[in-house]
Amino acid sequence: MHCGLTRQGSESCLKSIELSLSSKFEEIFPNELLLMIFEYLNVYDLFQSFYNMNKRFNNLIHSMSLYHIDLNNIQRKQIFDYYRHSIIPKIQYQQKETTIVLDIDDDLCNCIRILDKIKTMNLKSLKIKNLNGDNINYLVSVLSTFKQLTFLRIQSKADLNSNQFLQLITIPSLKKFQLLFLNYYYPSYRLIESKITTSNIEYLQIRQHFPIQQFQQLLQYLPKLKKLFTYIKSGGYSMSIDNNLHQFVPNLNELKLYVQGLGINDFFLYSKSFLVTYIFSLVTKMSRYRVKHGALYT
């Protein structure tokens, strides 16, 4: 195809080429393959690139079972408004139940309140970077409304108090929880309330130091736990080690602990309290120890 030299001719020619490529794209790919491609796209790119291109693409977009909403790189308010006023209402309009995967950077925009807009939707996975202290209470409160949330990852700039922490780990639907702090030497939790309900979490990662006694208390409320990664410290005083910790976490098969103030002898005592097939990793100020299937490595 040859395009004319005039501006009007060039624009008309480019539009014809675009329509031709679009037609070929549709002819080559079946619906099943297109849906697979669409599910890999962030919904902003998906709607900007394909929505209203034609009726077939609109129907395919509305038939999707998974949408990835990525708010990590929003630099302009107009983009966030496009999510709130255009994309989310279109997704909500669907009669088919859909799954939402949501990523938020709390530093880039005041995006966390978008959770109010998707309360009626099936939020399955939520990742939040740079959570600000002003939004912690709101987040803890609103997450209780999402009955299908199975994965939660929070990187917080501020500490969570023990009550906030306990509310998060006891979200009934939650299976995998990562709680990371930019400063993991925040004051540790001195008391794990005995009145909390049992957690359904299977994978738990907490980047914050627990006193050993409180760590032992925490395990009592994690009966379905399979993998655990966290930090503990001895506190520099004589401690009582529960030799039956394995009974609280019978399904545990991987345990990684970074430990302050625990010597090699106490390490052996502690490792014996987990009578399961597991990987036990420990770090002190001087050495790193790993126990795998009962053997000690350095």
Side-chain angles (χ1 to χ4, degrees), residues 3 5 62 73 110 134 144 147 178 209 211 220 229 237 250:
C3 294
L5 297 178
H62 282 302
N73 298 304
N110 190 20
D134 292 343
S144 63
K147 306 302 183 183
Q178 296 175 322
H209 282 90
Q220 298 179 41
F229 174 95
Y237 52 84

Side-chain angles (χ1 to χ4, degrees), residues 4 6 16 43 60 123-124 132 156 162 165 169 180 186 223 236-237 262 268-269 273-274:
T6 66
S16 297
V43 291
L60 284 174
L123 180 64
K124 202 83 169 179
N132 291 291
S156 181
S162 59
F165 168 71
I169 68 168
L180 314 176
Y186 278 124
Y237 52 84
L262 193 66
F268 274 118
L269 287 174
S273 64
F274 294 94

Side-chain angles (χ1 to χ4, degrees), residues 72-292:
N72 277 323
N73 298 304
I74 290 183
Q75 301 294 339
R76 302 194 308 273
K77 182 177 182 296
Q78 293 89 329
I79 297 177
F80 184 50
D81 288 342
Y82 182 67
Y83 273 104
R84 290 191 303 162
H85 303 309
S86 182
I87 293 178
I88 290 178
K90 286 184 175 69
I91 296 175
Q92 289 175 324
Y93 178 74
Q94 296 179 206
Q95 294 184 354
K96 180 180 179 180
E97 184 176 350
T98 58
T99 297
I100 303 298
V101 173
L102 177 60
D103 298 348
I104 297 173
D105 188 335
D106 200 27
D107 260 359
L108 288 182
C109 62
N110 190 20
C111 300
I112 199 167
R113 302 283 169 168
I114 202 171
L115 291 169
D116 286 329
K117 301 281 289 185
I118 63 172
K119 280 183 178 180
T120 60
M121 304 172 74
N122 181 18
L123 180 64
K124 202 83 169 179
S125 170
L126 175 62
K127 298 178 185 177
I128 301 175
K129 292 196 303 186
N130 300 312
L131 178 64
N132 291 291
D134 292 343
N135 287 326
I136 291 177
N137 281 331
Y138 164 77
L139 178 66
V140 172
S141 173
V142 75
L143 286 184
S144 63
T145 64
F146 294 100
K147 306 302 183 183
Q148 304 299 321
L149 183 67
T150 59
F151 176 79
L152 176 62
R153 186 182 194 273
I154 298 173
Q155 181 199 55
S156 181
K157 295 171 64 177
D159 192 20
L160 277 69
N161 62 43
S162 59
N163 184 55
Q164 293 164 338
F165 168 71
L166 294 174
Q167 287 185 64
L168 290 176
I169 68 168
T170 53
I171 294 174
S173 60
L174 201 60
K175 301 295 184 183
K176 187 173 183 178
F177 181 33
Q178 296 175 322
L179 179 60
L180 314 176
F181 295 92
L182 297 180
N183 178 1
Y184 54 86
Y185 287 101
Y186 278 124
S188 51
Y189 305 124
R190 292 294 173 185
L191 177 65
I192 303 295
E193 299 269 353
S194 59
K195 63 184 180 182
I196 71 170
T197 57
T198 300
S199 171
N200 290 317
I201 289 177
E202 297 178 359
Y203 176 99
L204 181 62
Q205 179 181 357
I206 310 172
R207 193 178 175 88
Q208 182 168 9
H209 282 90
F210 280 90
I212 287 181
Q213 297 290 51
Q214 279 64 52
F215 171 72
Q216 294 178 166
Q217 288 180 358
L218 175 64
L219 293 180
Q220 298 179 41
Y221 306 103
L222 298 166
K224 298 182 180 180
L225 194 65
K226 296 178 180 178
K227 295 184 180 182
L228 174 62
F229 174 95
T230 192
Y231 291 66
I232 64 173
K233 59 183 180 180
S234 68
Y237 52 84
S238 178
M239 62 179 182
S240 172
I241 295 179
D242 190 332
N243 292 322
N244 297 305
L245 292 179
H246 62 280
Q247 69 181 355
F248 301 130
V249 284
N251 300 306
L252 188 69
N253 56 50
E254 184 171 347
L255 172 63
K256 295 182 181 180
L257 299 178
Y258 284 81
V259 180
Q260 276 191 329
L262 193 66
I264 188 65
N265 291 330
D266 286 335
F267 164 74
F268 274 118
L269 287 174
Y270 215 62
S271 64
K272 288 178 181 178
S273 64
F274 294 94
L275 302 179
V276 293
T277 301
Y278 61 87
I279 299 173
F280 185 102
S281 178
L282 176 146
V283 172
T284 67
K285 289 184 178 179
M286 300 297 294
S287 304
R288 177 186 177 103
Y289 310 104
R290 177 183 291 269
V291 172
K292 185 175 182 180

